[in-house]
Amino acid sequence: MERNDQAIQRAIENAARISAGRGVFFRQTVANRLGINTSDLNCLNILQLAGPLTAGQLAERAGLTRGGAITAALDRMERAGLIERERDPATGGGRSCGTPKRP
């Protein structure tokens, strides 16, 4: 019986590896088609789930730096037509929110 359990365990581990690998290729393909990179795609997914966020909030959730990295990601997504940036209604200042565009 134990031998059968080990075979099942190996089969599950292999299936998980295959699934993870396919997920990486899928995300890369989607990002390429959108004209962005996979980090930007992660940011876009966060915005689609959370709604508009400030650049700082998005950076924190995505694990990016608050300076250039998040600004560059927002710029690329905006150039690709994937988000719109607006003034942050909470501060009324120059901070932008990323709002995913819906087709």
Side-chain angles (χ1 to χ4, degrees), residues 14-99:
N14 287 337
R17 284 187 194 100
I18 291 168
S19 178
R22 287 179 178 166
V24 169
F25 289 126
F26 177 77
R27 285 189 303 281
Q28 185 63 56
T29 300
V30 170
N32 288 345
R33 288 216 172 172
L34 294 174
I36 58 177
N37 62 43
T38 55
S39 179
D40 300 346
L41 183 61
N42 184 44
C43 289
L44 184 61
N45 287 335
I46 291 167
L47 290 170
Q48 288 175 332
L49 292 170
L53 298 170
T54 65
Q57 290 168 329
L58 181 57
E60 185 176 315
R61 290 184 187 199
L64 299 173
T65 60
R66 288 177 166 246
I70 196 64
T71 300
L74 288 167
D75 289 345
R76 285 189 296 268
M77 290 186 290
E78 187 174 36
R79 275 195 308 272
L82 300 171
I83 64 165
E84 295 175 342
R85 290 160 93 178
E86 305 160 351
R87 298 281 180 213
D88 183 356
T91 65
R95 299 280 181 208
S96 320
C97 294
T99 305

